[in-house]
Amino acid sequence: MSQTRCDAFLGGRLRIEQPARGYRSGMDAVLLAAAVPARPGQSVLELGCGAGVASLCLGARVAGLVQTGVELQDSYAALARRNAAANGIALEVLTADLSAPPPALRARIYDHVCANPPYFQRDRGSAAPDPVREAAQGEATPLAAWIDAAARRLTPGGWLTLIQRAERLPDLLTALDRRLGSAEILPLSPRAGRTAKLVLLRARKGGRGAFRLHAPLVLHAGERHERDGDSYTPALTAVLRQGAALPWPA
């Protein structure tokens, strides 16, 4: 990764270095961070942390977290370490395969695990020409392996939070096993009346609550895009610009 650029997040509160070409985290990572129900003093593991955007957004919102990121690609892991230091947020980054974690990680458990797994199944689409981008977006490790890795690292009662494309919801629900219950799905709809493009999943280790499918959270105000600039709802503006928690349904 030879060239990078600095991107602003949370209204400029965070300045995060990302590849100038190839995969860069954006709104999805901010939404993931905003959905994690972490409290000060708790521990959080992000699987596939990339350049650290989600973990750093979470650390900016909730003080006093003990955060760890796992990233397979050396170049992204190095960026995540630099970004954490530059923004003054404590984040330990391990370069490792989540499906074969090092002994130091296998010995730990966390209050929360979050992830933004690659969206695209390569048996249903074409690979990206850039190998770094392809590794970030193309699914090499099945969703079931991501969820298994999360369940192994969670303390009893701990929460998994995950964002994924809506079309992968059947795969997500199939991958959940008896270790993770009280599952909730929050669809994310671009506008009122539009089909959800993304979903957020929450599930609790050892949870016994019934499955819940919430009404969609609408991201943009109005029926269509009518002017330059963003058109986010007030709740989404607070998440994206001020680093507020996502308004998860009660």
Side-chain angles (χ1 to χ4, degrees):
M1 187 181 300
S2 57
Q3 294 184 327
T4 62
R5 77 178 199 190
C6 195
D7 295 320
F9 288 87
L10 306 186
R13 184 176 175 184
L14 296 177
R15 305 287 295 182
I16 296 182
E17 188 181 356
Q18 299 202 85
R21 299 183 65 182
Y23 178 77
R24 288 190 299 275
S25 294
M27 183 176 70
D28 296 8
V30 183
L31 293 174
L32 173 64
V36 177
R39 302 189 305 273
Q42 290 188 320
S43 56
V44 184
L45 170 66
E46 183 184 2
L47 300 176
C49 70
V53 174
S55 288
L56 297 179
C57 287
L58 178 58
R61 176 169 65 85
V62 184
L65 294 176
V66 178
Q67 294 197 96
T68 303
V70 173
E71 174 54 45
L72 177 63
Q73 300 187 77
D74 289 331
S75 55
Y76 277 98
L79 281 178
R81 296 184 189 105
R82 290 207 302 268
N83 287 327
N87 287 280
I89 296 174
L91 173 64
E92 178 189 15
V93 181
L94 305 176
T95 305
D97 185 337
L98 64 88
S99 61
L105 184 59
R106 292 201 301 269
R108 303 183 200 176
I109 54 175
Y110 294 83
D111 298 301
H112 300 271
V113 176
C114 64
N116 180 7
Y119 286 161
F120 301 107
Q121 294 172 286
R122 281 306 168 233
D123 59 350
R124 301 181 186 178
S126 301
D130 178 75
V132 177
R133 186 182 183 93
E134 170 59 21
Q137 291 187 303
E139 182 184 280
T141 302
L143 271 176
W146 287 76
I147 291 176
D148 176 70
R152 290 174 182 273
R153 301 279 71 78
L154 279 170
T155 189
W159 287 96
L160 166 65
T161 307
L162 186 149
I163 192 167
Q164 184 55 255
R165 287 177 62 87
E167 67 194 48
R168 303 297 307 278
L169 181 55
D171 299 322
L172 281 179
L173 296 180
T174 299
L176 292 179
D177 58 31
R178 293 181 179 179
R179 292 172 296 176
L180 295 165
S182 303
E184 301 180 48
I185 297 294
L186 179 61
L188 302 175
S189 176
R191 296 186 187 274
R194 300 282 186 87
T195 301
K197 301 291 187 181
L198 299 169
V199 295
L200 281 160
L201 163 75
R202 274 187 188 170
R204 195 167 198 176
K205 188 165 184 178
R208 295 293 181 265
F211 172 76
R212 299 177 69 190
L213 176 62
H214 295 291
L217 178 68
V218 176
L219 305 184
H220 295 271
E223 296 181 356
R224 57 186 179 275
H225 187 72
E226 295 180 339
R227 57 181 175 81
D228 291 340
D230 65 51
S231 58
Y232 296 116
T233 63
L236 260 292
T237 297
V239 168
L240 299 175
R241 304 289 182 251
Q242 286 86 50
L246 194 81
W248 194 275

mmCIF file of all heavy atoms in Angstrom, residues 175-193:
data_model
loop_
_atom_site.group_PDB
_atom_site.id
_atom_site.type_symbol
_atom_site.label_atom_id
_atom_site.label_comp_id
_atom_site.label_asym_id
_atom_site.label_seq_id
_atom_site.Cartn_x
_atom_site.Cartn_y
_atom_site.Cartn_z
ATOM 1 N N ALA A 175 -26.140 -19.009 10.303
ATOM 2 C CA ALA A 175 -24.863 -19.155 11.008
ATOM 3 C C ALA A 175 -24.995 -19.038 12.519
ATOM 4 O O ALA A 175 -24.133 -19.530 13.257
ATOM 5 C CB ALA A 175 -23.876 -18.104 10.503
ATOM 6 N N LEU A 176 -26.045 -18.384 13.004
ATOM 7 C CA LEU A 176 -26.237 -18.290 14.452
ATOM 8 C C LEU A 176 -26.502 -19.681 15.023
ATOM 9 O O LEU A 176 -27.285 -20.455 14.480
ATOM 10 C CB LEU A 176 -27.401 -17.368 14.783
ATOM 11 C CG LEU A 176 -27.206 -15.877 14.482
ATOM 12 C CD1 LEU A 176 -28.478 -15.115 14.846
ATOM 13 C CD2 LEU A 176 -26.008 -15.300 15.222
ATOM 14 N N ASP A 177 -25.852 -20.002 16.137
ATOM 15 C CA ASP A 177 -26.074 -21.305 16.763
ATOM 16 C C ASP A 177 -26.560 -21.105 18.192
ATOM 17 O O ASP A 177 -26.889 -19.996 18.607
ATOM 18 C CB ASP A 177 -24.809 -22.166 16.701
ATOM 19 C CG ASP A 177 -23.609 -21.484 17.371
ATOM 20 O OD1 ASP A 177 -23.820 -20.710 18.327
ATOM 21 O OD2 ASP A 177 -22.475 -21.732 16.940
ATOM 22 N N ARG A 178 -26.602 -22.165 18.953
ATOM 23 C CA ARG A 178 -27.176 -22.117 20.294
ATOM 24 C C ARG A 178 -26.371 -21.241 21.255
ATOM 25 O O ARG A 178 -26.873 -20.866 22.312
ATOM 26 C CB ARG A 178 -27.302 -23.531 20.857
ATOM 27 C CG ARG A 178 -28.320 -24.393 20.114
ATOM 28 C CD ARG A 178 -28.414 -25.771 20.733
ATOM 29 N NE ARG A 178 -29.395 -26.603 20.038
ATOM 30 C CZ ARG A 178 -29.660 -27.859 20.367
ATOM 31 N NH1 ARG A 178 -29.018 -28.431 21.381
ATOM 32 N NH2 ARG A 178 -30.557 -28.543 19.674
ATOM 33 N N ARG A 179 -25.138 -20.938 20.903
ATOM 34 C CA ARG A 179 -24.349 -20.078 21.788
ATOM 35 C C ARG A 179 -24.850 -18.641 21.774
ATOM 36 O O ARG A 179 -24.641 -17.890 22.734
ATOM 37 C CB ARG A 179 -22.878 -20.102 21.358
ATOM 38 C CG ARG A 179 -22.183 -21.426 21.584
ATOM 39 C CD ARG A 179 -20.809 -21.435 20.972
ATOM 40 N NE ARG A 179 -20.872 -21.314 19.516
ATOM 41 C CZ ARG A 179 -19.790 -21.225 18.733
ATOM 42 N NH1 ARG A 179 -18.593 -21.228 19.258
ATOM 43 N NH2 ARG A 179 -19.930 -21.152 17.423
ATOM 44 N N LEU A 180 -25.482 -18.223 20.692
ATOM 45 C CA LEU A 180 -25.909 -16.837 20.509
ATOM 46 C C LEU A 180 -27.421 -16.781 20.372
ATOM 47 O O LEU A 180 -27.991 -17.355 19.446
ATOM 48 C CB LEU A 180 -25.239 -16.239 19.268
ATOM 49 C CG LEU A 180 -23.718 -16.112 19.349
ATOM 50 C CD1 LEU A 180 -23.127 -15.879 17.975
ATOM 51 C CD2 LEU A 180 -23.338 -14.975 20.294
ATOM 52 N N GLY A 181 -28.072 -16.082 21.295
ATOM 53 C CA GLY A 181 -29.523 -15.959 21.265
ATOM 54 C C GLY A 181 -29.942 -14.512 21.406
ATOM 55 O O GLY A 181 -29.129 -13.590 21.278
ATOM 56 N N SER A 182 -31.231 -14.296 21.672
ATOM 57 C CA SER A 182 -31.792 -12.945 21.788
ATOM 58 C C SER A 182 -31.424 -12.107 20.565
ATOM 59 O O SER A 182 -31.122 -10.911 20.678
ATOM 60 C CB SER A 182 -31.306 -12.264 23.072
ATOM 61 O OG SER A 182 -31.628 -13.023 24.213
ATOM 62 N N ALA A 183 -31.453 -12.725 19.394
ATOM 63 C CA ALA A 183 -31.016 -12.045 18.172
ATOM 64 C C ALA A 183 -32.028 -10.991 17.745
ATOM 65 O O ALA A 183 -33.241 -11.207 17.826
ATOM 66 C CB ALA A 183 -30.795 -13.052 17.051
ATOM 67 N N GLU A 184 -31.510 -9.857 17.289
ATOM 68 C CA GLU A 184 -32.331 -8.761 16.781
ATOM 69 C C GLU A 184 -31.750 -8.279 15.456
ATOM 70 O O GLU A 184 -30.529 -8.167 15.316
ATOM 71 C CB GLU A 184 -32.353 -7.583 17.756
ATOM 72 C CG GLU A 184 -32.874 -7.912 19.143
ATOM 73 C CD GLU A 184 -32.872 -6.684 20.043
ATOM 74 O OE1 GLU A 184 -33.360 -5.622 19.611
ATOM 75 O OE2 GLU A 184 -32.363 -6.790 21.174
ATOM 76 N N ILE A 185 -32.617 -7.983 14.521
ATOM 77 C CA ILE A 185 -32.216 -7.456 13.226
ATOM 78 C C ILE A 185 -32.822 -6.069 13.054
ATOM 79 O O ILE A 185 -34.034 -5.883 13.213
ATOM 80 C CB ILE A 185 -32.679 -8.366 12.073
ATOM 81 C CG1 ILE A 185 -32.012 -9.745 12.157
ATOM 82 C CG2 ILE A 185 -32.395 -7.710 10.722
ATOM 83 C CD1 ILE A 185 -30.510 -9.731 11.938
ATOM 84 N N LEU A 186 -31.976 -5.107 12.720
ATOM 85 C CA LEU A 186 -32.427 -3.749 12.408
ATOM 86 C C LEU A 186 -32.098 -3.462 10.946
ATOM 87 O O LEU A 186 -30.945 -3.225 10.597
ATOM 88 C CB LEU A 186 -31.733 -2.730 13.311
ATOM 89 C CG LEU A 186 -32.105 -1.256 13.068
ATOM 90 C CD1 LEU A 186 -33.592 -1.034 13.311
ATOM 91 C CD2 LEU A 186 -31.261 -0.338 13.944
ATOM 92 N N PRO A 187 -33.098 -3.502 10.052
ATOM 93 C CA PRO A 187 -32.839 -3.154 8.649
ATOM 94 C C PRO A 187 -32.536 -1.659 8.525
ATOM 95 O O PRO A 187 -33.074 -0.832 9.265
ATOM 96 C CB PRO A 187 -34.158 -3.507 7.947
ATOM 97 C CG PRO A 187 -34.906 -4.393 8.901
ATOM 98 C CD PRO A 187 -34.497 -3.925 10.263
ATOM 99 N N LEU A 188 -31.691 -1.322 7.572
ATOM 100 C CA LEU A 188 -31.325 0.069 7.307
ATOM 101 C C LEU A 188 -31.820 0.417 5.903
ATOM 102 O O LEU A 188 -31.291 -0.085 4.907
ATOM 103 C CB LEU A 188 -29.812 0.254 7.420
ATOM 104 C CG LEU A 188 -29.202 -0.131 8.769
ATOM 105 C CD1 LEU A 188 -27.680 -0.024 8.728
ATOM 106 C CD2 LEU A 188 -29.758 0.725 9.892
ATOM 107 N N SER A 189 -32.830 1.273 5.847
ATOM 108 C CA SER A 189 -33.455 1.630 4.572
ATOM 109 C C SER A 189 -32.954 2.990 4.118
ATOM 110 O O SER A 189 -32.907 3.932 4.918
ATOM 111 C CB SER A 189 -34.971 1.667 4.734
ATOM 112 O OG SER A 189 -35.600 2.107 3.550
ATOM 113 N N PRO A 190 -32.574 3.140 2.849
ATOM 114 C CA PRO A 190 -32.074 4.438 2.396
ATOM 115 C C PRO A 190 -33.102 5.548 2.515
ATOM 116 O O PRO A 190 -32.765 6.680 2.859
ATOM 117 C CB PRO A 190 -31.658 4.198 0.944
ATOM 118 C CG PRO A 190 -32.350 2.940 0.539
ATOM 119 C CD PRO A 190 -32.494 2.130 1.783
ATOM 120 N N ARG A 191 -34.372 5.249 2.250
ATOM 121 C CA ARG A 191 -35.460 6.231 2.374
ATOM 122 C C ARG A 191 -36.743 5.512 2.762
ATOM 123 O O ARG A 191 -36.859 4.285 2.584
ATOM 124 C CB ARG A 191 -35.653 7.006 1.057
ATOM 125 C CG ARG A 191 -34.446 7.853 0.670
ATOM 126 C CD ARG A 191 -34.691 8.726 -0.537
ATOM 127 N NE ARG A 191 -33.443 9.377 -0.940
ATOM 128 C CZ ARG A 191 -33.005 10.519 -0.430
ATOM 129 N NH1 ARG A 191 -33.734 11.153 0.485
ATOM 130 N NH2 ARG A 191 -31.854 11.035 -0.835
ATOM 131 N N ALA A 192 -37.683 6.253 3.289
ATOM 132 C CA ALA A 192 -38.959 5.666 3.691
ATOM 133 C C ALA A 192 -39.607 4.951 2.513
ATOM 134 O O ALA A 192 -39.678 5.493 1.408
ATOM 135 C CB ALA A 192 -39.885 6.755 4.229
ATOM 136 N N GLY A 193 -40.045 3.731 2.738
ATOM 137 C CA GLY A 193 -40.691 2.952 1.693
ATOM 138 C C GLY A 193 -39.747 2.221 0.773
ATOM 139 O O GLY A 193 -40.195 1.467 -0.086
#
